[in-house]
Amino acid sequence: MPAATSQIVSQLQRAIARTIYGKEEAIQLALITLLARGHLLIEDVPGVGKTTLAQAIAKSFHCTFQRIQFTSDLLPSDVIGVSVYNPETRDFEYRNGPLFANVVLADEINRTTPRTQSALLEAMNEAQVTVDGKTLSLPQPFLVIATQNPVEHHGTYPLPESQLDRFLMRIKMGYPSPQTEREILRKRANDDPLQSLEPVAGVQDVLAMQDAVMQVKVDTSLHDYALDIVNRTRQTDQLALGVSPRGTLMLQRAAQARAFLDGRDYCLPDDFKKLAVAVFSHRVVASSRHASLQKKSETTESVLREIVDSVPVPL
């Protein structure tokens, strides 16, 4: 990695870390998602920093940012835009929706109806939307960061598998440690660090890093390693739905981004192993026989960890 690029990466990590204390892993995974041209689903209880992380990423580089608060009465046109009649020209003119931004925060995405959720499918997969028969490209880079609360289910609509598959990875913030929470109380007594966060990179810097990520080398032995993990998710009777081919591609792309952040132009087995659960956990479904047991060891994440640990690492 060139020295200038390495400096930008370090500045991005430090800038975001000043607003999200004690969450270095979540910050790294979020940056991996951005550089891998993916989208991020943050699932956790309220108040642990999901929205703050999304806002910190958006403010860390010069970009356009939109926040969409998903509610039950939100319509697809509220997300992608709508054609409005202009009496002067006697024609309809398209007005862009909030989806036309570099970073889009889809807050509480599971609180809107499946019809509105589906408005994001084309955008997240192809970075474009189709309105009135016209295809419109979204600005680049394009990152959707969605949040949802896994505890409160009243008035929510679970994301379908096709929607979940569009997210590169799903992460959880978790509660801070007592020491970190004490630090939050001390540093936020008189100031909100998010308000003073200054951009440290430009859009072109991010695009250049995304292009560099695609050039990170992946040995064929790592292809075999990833495919071995994926095939085991499709064969185990603990999972009713295994990882899709898109999931395999997403793991490789995430591994390339992790290597890039680490300053390497080649992937290691550890890049795949460390990211497999975050990339795959929302793409698989536990079989009804095992899911009904309600045991922690038989959740999708624990099943995936068992599979990853059982696959020999290439030397």
Side-chain angles (χ1 to χ4, degrees):
M1 183 190 299
T5 303
S6 178
Q7 184 178 6
I8 292 174
V9 169
S10 299
Q11 289 176 337
L12 282 172
Q13 291 174 318
R14 287 197 301 269
I16 300 172
R18 284 197 292 269
T19 65
I20 304 291
Y21 305 118
K23 296 298 177 184
E24 288 77 13
E25 183 180 6
I27 293 171
Q28 183 193 43
L29 293 176
L31 287 176
I32 287 173
T33 302
L34 171 64
L35 297 182
R37 292 191 173 99
H39 306 287
L40 183 66
L41 177 62
I42 309 176
E43 184 180 86
D44 218 319
V45 297
V48 293
K50 300 188 299 295
T51 302
T52 303
L53 175 60
Q55 292 174 326
I57 291 173
K59 293 193 70 173
S60 64
F61 68 101
H62 292 279
C63 70
T64 54
F65 172 73
Q66 290 286 352
R67 175 177 178 173
I68 308 173
Q69 189 67 47
F70 280 76
T71 57
S72 58
D73 59 348
L74 197 72
L75 298 175
S77 58
D78 296 326
V79 177
I80 63 176
V82 65
S83 293
V84 179
Y85 182 73
N86 186 335
E88 294 183 0
T89 61
R90 296 184 180 182
D91 199 1
F92 285 91
E93 297 178 355
Y94 177 72
R95 305 283 178 86
N96 288 345
L99 199 60
F100 285 80
N102 295 118
V103 180
V104 177
L105 170 58
D107 216 358
E108 296 187 283
I109 189 173
N110 58 332
R111 290 200 173 276
T112 195
T113 62
R115 180 187 177 192
T116 303
Q117 289 177 9
S118 66
L120 293 171
L121 288 175
E122 182 184 12
M124 293 174 66
N125 196 50
E126 302 168 40
Q128 65 183 34
V129 296
T130 302
V131 183
D132 296 336
K134 297 180 180 179
T135 299
L136 306 171
S137 298
L138 294 169
Q140 293 298 319
F142 177 65
L143 169 67
V144 174
I145 302 178
T147 70
Q148 66 175 1
N149 177 3
V151 178
E152 176 57 61
H153 298 296
H154 181 71
T156 63
Y157 302 85
L159 297 179
E161 279 70 30
S162 59
Q163 182 82 58
L164 288 170
D165 205 34
R166 262 59 174 191
F167 289 100
L168 177 71
M169 65 177 76
R170 179 183 66 183
I171 67 172
K172 297 178 181 178
M173 301 291 291
Y175 289 113
S177 66
Q179 295 79 8
T180 300
E181 197 159 7
R182 186 179 295 109
E183 189 72 5
I184 293 172
L185 291 173
R186 186 181 69 83
K187 290 189 174 180
R188 293 207 172 190
N190 302 309
D191 182 38
D192 182 359
L194 186 63
Q195 301 302 319
S196 57
L197 180 61
E198 295 292 334
V200 296
V203 165
Q204 294 304 317
D205 295 318
V206 174
L207 291 174
M209 288 189 288
Q210 288 180 337
D211 290 339
V213 164
M214 302 298 289
Q215 304 305 315
V216 173
K217 302 178 185 68
V218 183
D219 191 77
T220 53
S221 64
L222 296 179
H223 289 160
D224 295 335
Y225 177 58
L227 290 172
D228 199 355
I229 295 173
V230 168
N231 287 328
R232 294 195 187 197
T233 69
R234 299 168 183 171
Q235 296 166 0
T236 178
D237 62 353
Q238 292 180 288
L239 298 176
L241 179 67
V243 176
S244 67
R246 180 189 284 121
T248 313
L249 287 169
M250 292 299 100
L251 177 60
Q252 174 174 272
R253 192 179 298 175
Q256 289 175 297
R258 187 179 188 271
F260 178 83
L261 282 181
D262 203 34
R264 290 179 277 111
D265 64 352
Y266 57 90
C267 284
L268 296 173
D270 209 41
D271 296 322
F272 285 81
K273 186 172 184 177
K274 294 292 186 183
L275 295 172
V277 174
V279 176
F280 289 164
S281 63
H282 58 292
R283 303 177 193 274
V284 298
V285 176
S287 63
S288 57
R289 180 164 63 90
H290 291 279
S292 63
L293 296 177
Q294 298 294 323
K295 291 182 179 179
K296 183 178 180 181
S297 62
E298 292 168 339
T299 62
T300 55
E301 289 189 6
S302 55
V303 170
L304 284 169
R305 289 191 187 96
E306 291 174 7
I307 291 175
V308 171
D309 290 339
S310 69
V311 176
V313 176
L315 300 177

